[in-house]
Amino acid sequence: MYDLIVIGGGPAGTSAAITCARSGGRVLLLERGRFPRHKVCGEFVSAESLELLVSLLDPKHLRLFSDSVRIPRSRVFLDGRRLHTPIDPAAASISRLDLDAALWDSAEHNGVDGRQQTAVQRISGNGPFTVESSIGKFEGRALINASGRWSKLNPGTADASSRKWLGLKGHFSESSPPASVDLYFFDGGYCGVQPVDISDGAERSGRVNACAMVRSDMASTLAEVFVCHPALRERSRGWKPLSDPVSTSPLVFREPQPERDGILMAGDAAGFVDPFVGDGISLALRSGRLAGECLIPFFVGTVSLVEAARYYRATYEQRLTPVFRTSSKIRRMLSLPQGVRIPILRLLEKTPAITRYLVSKTR
Ligand SMILES: Cc1cc2nc3c(=O)[nH]c(=O)nc-3n(C[C@H](O)[C@H](O)[C@H](O)COP(=O)(O)OP(=O)(O)OC[C@H]3O[C@@H](n4cnc5c(N)ncnc54)[C@H](O)[C@@H]3O)c2cc1C
């Protein structure tokens, strides 16, 4: 019997597992994939969670953070305009190839029993829980579901909306890319571009990550995405691919649900935030830690599982749910007809304080 079983070894699952293991809990972490691997993501790690990230990483992985490319500004290319916003403190650009593998390794160094290539198929019970996986059954006093945005374990996420959204990502060569996250918006999607490094020693500079969220009737490859925006078409002309492209679908947005039948939901499994706000990794790390912290009093016997889960839900709704609300308001603003959107953009251009305020509300 484990104290805690965590499903999913991404940022949310590893953050939860490390938090509980450090407090002495016996933790099992199950991941269906295998690290290292590329993942569809803009790889923009917002400053709000960098301290938490550093505290989770084993010291041997700290170079991942200290050597990372810093992103001190964003540029939004929309309706022929270019909106500059400083990012203060600067964000970090960290490849998911390195980040997820380092977090996994750090979890194991903290005593977590980690099993890769182990897909969870079924969950039963309401504390204790039985988890059936591709390698057998496990029992845990508590369960955290951090299986990501789209999983058959999370009812509701499989209802792809009629307008199907795709995520696409690839690394490309570009000499001296600017230290900014550049968001190119067009009808039916957007593509983010930012410099990034990977730690395998190859191409230590001159690498950009291009990551798009696009309606499937607009594009199904990055090459098709690049021609959707004139400035991006021009910029990408000389790019050479440095990684195989990866894709994911569908992308479904919904109100976050941090707890279900006594199971604590963390990261994208709780709720998927609009990728353009660049806060998904941060929310995953923070909700994972919060879920782990809320379970510690249960493990030492001072509260019941029901009380721990209720406290997690309330704290999540207070601290994290507002981020989802602001992000979906901004998404609605960006999808307004051009005639309405342009005056709003002019206002934002003239009053950067409003833009800074909006960005702060997505954190
Ligand atoms: C197009 C796009 C761009 C994005 N850009 C950014 C960005 O720039 N910055 C940012 O902060 N966020 C970004 N995000 C969001 C970010 O990628 C996610 O919010 C983040 O990965 C969530 O972490 P997680 O741990 O919750 O889920 P994940 O990272 O998805 O991890 C979940 C893990 O669970 C595993 N799993 C799933 N099912 C099972 C199962 N049945 N059994 C065992 N394991 C299972 C999966 O293999 C996976 O490894 C972007 C997302 C998209 C789609």
Side-chain angles (χ1 to χ4, degrees), residues 7-14 30-35 37 39-46 96 100 118-121 146-153 166-168 190 194 209 211-213 248 251 266-285 287:
I7 307 172
T14 46
L30 302 175
E31 164 57 45
R32 84 176 158 200
R34 192 178 161 74
F35 301 111
R37 49 105 180 89
K39 185 173 176 78
V40 175
C41 183
E43 307 186 324
F44 175 96
V45 187
S46 59
R96 294 297 295 269
D100 292 20
T118 304
V120 172
Q121 289 142 350
S147 63
R149 194 189 73 242
W150 194 66
S151 155
K152 64 178 181 187
L153 300 172
L166 291 177
L168 299 161
Y190 82 94
Q194 69 179 36
N209 175 16
C211 183
M213 181 176 128
T248 184
L251 309 180
D268 283 4
F272 178 52
V273 74
D274 267 84
F276 72 84
V277 299
D279 218 25
I281 298 170
S282 169
L283 285 169
L285 293 171
S287 60

Side-chain angles (χ1 to χ4, degrees), residues 126 129 143-145 254-266 269-271 291 295 305-314 316-317:
N126 54 4
F129 298 89
L143 186 62
I144 294 179
N145 180 341
R254 60 190 165 85
E255 266 285 290
Q257 187 176 5
E259 183 257 331
R260 189 180 286 151
D261 304 326
I263 302 170
L264 278 60
M265 313 289 288
L295 285 171
L305 180 60
V306 171
E307 287 166 324
R310 198 180 298 138
Y311 184 65
Y312 173 63
R313 173 187 281 276
Y316 185 107
E317 284 172 355

